[in-house]
């Protein structure tokens, strides 16, 4: 790459500023290891102790392979064990991690990541550009079954150039660095090719005990490169899928943090001594997903019938109880950059639901929706509300409650109609590429539309923000009308936290501080 066509920019860079620079002659970024360095912390971290977390959303088949991370527990495992090239801060700015600099050519088609020197993996080996390249290559391989496959498919070629890893795209994409923040893309020795589930990463903690679906323990990685993170001597995850048991563990002092707090109990927990409920809005959304290639959901009228049969206002009021907002059958809301709010809100309409159901020609047999508590907080109650309103429109919706264990491996992305959730992604390209691109491994609605795929590629190559916003609006309108996702609500992330935990930072990226509570918090002395 002609280095004269780019320059470095020092300091945290918001996505708005980043995209603005992409519309100029060149795009570069070199951001400090942590964006919190610009302002003093209100408190001085205390080192030592063991953080214990009660986590819902895990199963006995969970793996330490980053490619296969698909539920809340495996998300937290990846964030605790691993380090990506870059991350996204709570305010949406790009943050350097294993890459210490990022730059691109003038067209945002060739990107270069300078690999930080001297960073040690948990096994003592040093992170190299070859490890980074191998990691990206493995997640680009369809055989890896990686949840990041959708975003990696836009890459034409990759190579190592000294301390740099160079990525050439098939089409320009000003969002490419944000895509590299995907939590599956934790850098592993030799890319994880030798043993993808070894648990060896470059994060602040390394695995000690692994009992999938039950318990994980970690010890501090003494060779960790970032002194501003990783204050605990150890971390323990207890997998507690039952919401009542998880809250009881917190109240009894068995754990310091519990995730996936049900809104209906959040108010009660807030009144408990020595606890505080933390909530933050963002891009997370609760969904019902239909496989558009499987009968009866391959019928567009049936899909529309089910969409009109959802009473979103009632569901938000009764399930979220103020901890979220209504959805509109697309995975994007105002928390995303370049969001266009002109798409009309789909309303609850029993008459239209009945009309589309009749037009579908469905034979009247039960339409089975599979659901479990682990799908999202309040999922079973939400499904019951959906059943009542659908039945009122003459749609024979039947709820089948299934076990929590195995839900993310045997039901989600397997069964044709189920409840699920998405934590969202920093930018629209990543959300659409991960879950709606026809070739994405995590396309959990089996949505396949060449025109949609073409628009996604067009949006990537468009460096003008206004034009890109318009293209994303077209894509949203297509999903809204013909897609297989029902998005009744965008949820707040709600955690309950012991007052002993200090340093909490609101982060709408994912739950428990975007999975970084073990890295950024500490226990009061």
């Amino acid at each position: 790459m002609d280095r004269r066509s780019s320059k470095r920019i020092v300091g945290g860079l918001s996505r708005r500023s980043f995209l603005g620079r992409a519309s100029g002659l060149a795009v570069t970024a070199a951001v400090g290891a942590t964006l919190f360095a610009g302002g003093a912390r209100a408190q001085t971290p205390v080192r030592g102790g063991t953080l214990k977390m009660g986590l819902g959303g895990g199963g006995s088949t969970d793996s330490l392979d980053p490619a296969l991370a698909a539920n809340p527990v495996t998300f937290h495992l990846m964030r605790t064990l691993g380090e990506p090239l870059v991350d996204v801060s709570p305010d949406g700015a790009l943050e350097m991690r294993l890459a210490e600099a990022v730059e691109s050519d003038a067209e945002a088609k060739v990107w270069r990541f300078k690999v930080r020197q001297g960073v040690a993996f948990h096994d003592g080996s040093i992170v190299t550009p070859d490890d980074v390249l191998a990691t990206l290559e493995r997640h680009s391989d369809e055989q890896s079954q990686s949840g990041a496959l959708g975003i990696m498919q836009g890459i034409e070629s990759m190579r190592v150039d000294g301390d740099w890893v160079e990525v050439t795209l098939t089409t320009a994409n000003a969002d490419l660095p944000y895509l590299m923040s995907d939590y599956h893309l934790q850098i592993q020795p030799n890319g994880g090719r030798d043993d993808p589930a070894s648990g060896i990463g470059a994060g602040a903690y390394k695995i000690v005990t692994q009992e999938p679906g039950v318990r994980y323990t970690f010890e501090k990685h003494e060779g960790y490169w970032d002194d501003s993170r990783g204050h605990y001597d150890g971390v323990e995850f207890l997998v507690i899928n039952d919401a009542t048991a998880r809250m009881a563990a917190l109240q009894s002092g068995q754990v310091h943090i519990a995730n996936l707090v049900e809104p209906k109990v959040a108010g009660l927990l807030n009144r408990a001594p020595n606890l505080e409920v933390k909530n933050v809005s963002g891009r997370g959304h609760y969904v019902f997903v239909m496989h558009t290639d499987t009968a009866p959901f391959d019928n567009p009228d049936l899909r529309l019938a089910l969409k009109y049969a959802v009473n979103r206002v009632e569901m938000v009021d009764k399930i979220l109880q103020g901890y979220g907002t209504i959805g509109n059958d697309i995975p994007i809301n105002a928390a995303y950059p370049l969001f266009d709010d002109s798409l009309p809100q789909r309303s609850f309409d029993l008459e239209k639901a009945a009309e589309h159901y009749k037009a579908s020609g469905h034979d009247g047999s039960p339409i089975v929706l599979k659901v479990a508590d682990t799908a999202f907080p309040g999922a079973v109650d939400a499904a019951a509300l959906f059943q009542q309103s659908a039945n009122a429109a003459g749609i024979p919706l039947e709820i089948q409650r299934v076990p929590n264990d195995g839900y993310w491996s045997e039901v989600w992305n397997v069964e044709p109609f189920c409840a699920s959730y998405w934590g969202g992604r920093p930018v629209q390209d990543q959300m659409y590429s991960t879950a709606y691109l026809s070739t994405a491994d995590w396309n959990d609605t089996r949505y396949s539309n060449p025109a949609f795929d073409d628009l996604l590629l067009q949006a990537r190559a468009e460096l003008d923000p206004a034009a890109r916003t318009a293209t994303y609006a077209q894509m949203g309108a297509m999903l809204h009308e013909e897609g297989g996702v029902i998005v009744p609500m965008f949820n707040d992330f709600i955690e309950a936290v012991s007052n002993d935990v200090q340093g909490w930072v609101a982060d709408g990226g994912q739950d428990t501080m975007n999975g970084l509570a073990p890295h950024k918090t500490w226990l009061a002395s």
Side-chain angles (χ1 to χ4, degrees), residues 415-449:
E415 295 293 338
F417 195 22
C418 72
S420 186
Y421 87 100
W422 279 92
R425 296 295 187 271
V427 292
Q428 294 193 47
D429 179 79
Q430 190 174 4
M431 187 67 241
Y432 284 135
S433 297
T434 301
Y436 298 93
L437 183 68
S438 60
T439 53
D441 201 57
W442 275 18
N443 181 350
D444 59 2
T445 60
R446 306 294 192 269
Y447 181 66
S448 181
N449 185 333

Side-chain angles (χ1 to χ4, degrees), residues 57-68:
S60 59
T61 59
D62 289 347
S63 170
L64 294 183
D65 180 356
L68 305 180

Side-chain angles (χ1 to χ4, degrees), residues 33 47 79-84 95 97-98 118-122 201-205 220-231 516 519:
R47 297 192 177 275
R79 295 294 270 170
T80 302
L81 295 168
E83 284 278 352
E95 180 178 319
R97 299 308 299 164
L98 291 188
V119 175
F121 284 117
H122 297 157
Y205 302 97
K220 177 67 186 293
H221 172 32
E222 294 303 328
Y224 188 53
W225 66 275
D226 187 349
D227 290 339
S228 70
R229 297 186 178 189
H231 310 298
L516 293 177
H519 286 69

Side-chain angles (χ1 to χ4, degrees), residues 177-451:
Y178 288 85
L179 306 188
M180 294 296 103
S181 72
D182 189 288
Y183 64 87
H184 299 91
L185 301 179
Q186 309 299 329
I187 307 304
Q188 296 178 278
N190 195 28
R193 287 169 167 165
D194 303 322
D195 184 1
S198 68
I200 296 174
Y205 302 97
K206 56 184 180 180
I207 194 77
V208 175
T209 303
Q210 179 190 181
E211 300 175 44
V214 180
R215 176 174 175 262
Y216 300 86
T217 65
F218 313 83
E219 64 183 14
K220 177 67 186 293
H221 172 32
E222 294 303 328
Y224 188 53
W225 66 275
D226 187 349
D227 290 339
S228 70
R229 297 186 178 189
H231 310 298
Y232 300 103
D233 292 333
V235 176
E236 181 176 4
F237 292 168
L238 296 179
V239 181
I240 311 173
N241 287 322
D242 181 81
T244 301
R246 196 162 60 251
M247 297 310 118
L250 179 72
Q251 291 177 294
S252 68
Q254 186 181 4
V255 300
H256 299 104
I257 299 172
N259 75 334
L260 303 180
V261 174
E262 294 186 328
K264 65 184 180 182
V265 303
L268 295 174
L269 284 174
N270 236 347
R271 295 197 290 269
N274 303 318
L275 299 178
E276 186 176 355
V277 172
K278 311 282 190 180
N279 70 287
V280 60
S281 61
R283 305 170 185 88
H285 47 289
Y286 298 157
V287 297
F288 301 107
V289 292
M290 304 172 279
H291 288 182
T292 58
D293 63 352
T294 304
F297 310 106
D298 56 350
N299 187 304
D301 275 302
L302 184 72
R303 297 197 297 270
L304 282 172
L306 289 165
K307 291 177 182 181
Y308 279 113
V310 177
N311 190 333
R312 300 160 204 279
V313 173
E314 179 187 41
M315 203 170 283
V316 167
D317 288 345
K318 293 183 177 179
I319 304 302
L320 297 186
Q321 299 192 21
Y323 291 97
T325 57
I326 62 172
N328 197 22
D329 297 337
I330 65 171
I332 307 300
N333 66 355
Y336 279 90
L338 309 183
F339 174 69
D340 185 322
D341 64 0
S342 64
L343 184 68
Q345 174 64 50
R346 175 165 282 129
S347 59
F348 173 51
D349 193 323
L350 289 178
E351 185 176 339
K352 283 188 176 181
E355 288 176 358
H356 281 289
Y357 179 68
K358 182 178 180 180
S360 76
H362 186 254
D363 61 9
S365 60
I367 298 172
V368 177
L369 169 64
K370 296 194 175 183
V371 65
D373 291 321
T374 194
F376 58 80
V380 174
D381 291 339
L385 291 177
F386 189 9
Q387 181 182 33
Q388 292 170 13
S389 57
N391 290 171
I395 302 172
L397 183 60
E398 179 179 298
I399 306 303
Q400 183 177 335
R401 189 169 181 176
V402 296
N404 288 320
D405 190 48
Y407 189 82
W408 298 107
S409 58
E410 299 168 15
V411 178
W412 175 76
N413 217 6
V414 175
E415 295 293 338
F417 195 22
C418 72
S420 186
Y421 87 100
W422 279 92
R425 296 295 187 271
V427 292
Q428 294 193 47
D429 179 79
Q430 190 174 4
M431 187 67 241
Y432 284 135
S433 297
T434 301
Y436 298 93
L437 183 68
S438 60
T439 53
D441 201 57
W442 275 18
N443 181 350
D444 59 2
T445 60
R446 306 294 192 269
Y447 181 66
S448 181
N449 185 333

